[in-house]
Amino acid sequence: AIITKVVLKIKQSGPPVGINPFTILGGLLVDIRKGSFGTSALQITDFQALASAKKVGTFNKTPVAGWYSVTLNVAGQGKVNKIGLTQFRLYFTKDDNDDLGADFMKFFSGNNATGKPVITITYKTP
């Protein structure tokens, strides 16, 4: 299969805390890892682990029906594991706005019954 498009969608879970990070921290970027960033359980070291490709897309700043989406660039499309695990790491362009206040937003996780992240892969066969 030849992957032609990859769209990742995440759903907001509740209102932002503090100031909406999409308005003060820049774009929400995506790194991709063919396989996993670390062990099967999320670890602090996963945030420093090497990505297969960095900054493969930036989420839209305005949700549609509560969903934020990003279309991966060609580098990201090429790192989707066709036979196993693919992981994504999300982070804002700026890590902090230095106002000493908490500004964050929650998104539904993959183990939630509803609202879990969605990946749509479009492909063609040679």
Side-chain angles (χ1 to χ4, degrees), residues 9-16 20-22 27-29 59-63 66-69 90-92 103-112 114-118:
K9 292 172 49 173
I10 56 176
K11 188 166 188 181
Q12 187 174 334
S13 171
N20 183 333
F22 281 95
L28 181 59
L29 304 172
F59 278 86
N60 61 315
K61 290 185 176 191
T62 305
W67 290 89
Y68 292 86
S69 65
L90 312 181
Y91 56 99
F92 284 97
D103 303 308
F104 63 90
M105 183 177 293
K106 295 179 185 179
F107 298 96
F108 286 104
S109 71
N111 59 2
N112 195 282
T114 61
K116 61 180 75 178
V118 175

Side-chain angles (χ1 to χ4, degrees), residues 8-117:
L8 178 62
K9 292 172 49 173
I10 56 176
K11 188 166 188 181
Q12 187 174 334
S13 171
V17 172
I19 302 170
N20 183 333
F22 281 95
T23 63
I24 59 170
L25 299 180
L28 181 59
L29 304 172
V30 181
D31 292 348
I32 189 171
R33 175 75 181 189
K34 192 172 188 175
S36 64
F37 281 102
T39 63
S40 59
L42 184 63
Q43 302 290 321
I44 193 74
T45 54
D46 294 350
F47 295 96
Q48 286 79 39
L50 293 176
S52 299
K54 295 177 80 174
K55 299 180 182 175
V56 297
T58 305
F59 278 86
N60 61 315
K61 290 185 176 191
T62 305
V64 175
W67 290 89
Y68 292 86
S69 65
V70 58
T71 300
L72 301 188
N73 63 24
V74 173
Q77 292 173 17
K79 298 302 179 187
V80 171
N81 191 342
K82 296 176 187 174
I83 59 170
L85 183 68
T86 300
Q87 284 189 334
F88 299 95
R89 178 171 51 203
L90 312 181
Y91 56 99
F92 284 97
T93 305
K94 293 168 60 177
D95 65 344
D96 192 347
N97 67 343
D98 297 325
D99 70 350
L100 303 177
D103 303 308
F104 63 90
M105 183 177 293
K106 295 179 185 179
F107 298 96
F108 286 104
S109 71
N111 59 2
N112 195 282
T114 61
K116 61 180 75 178

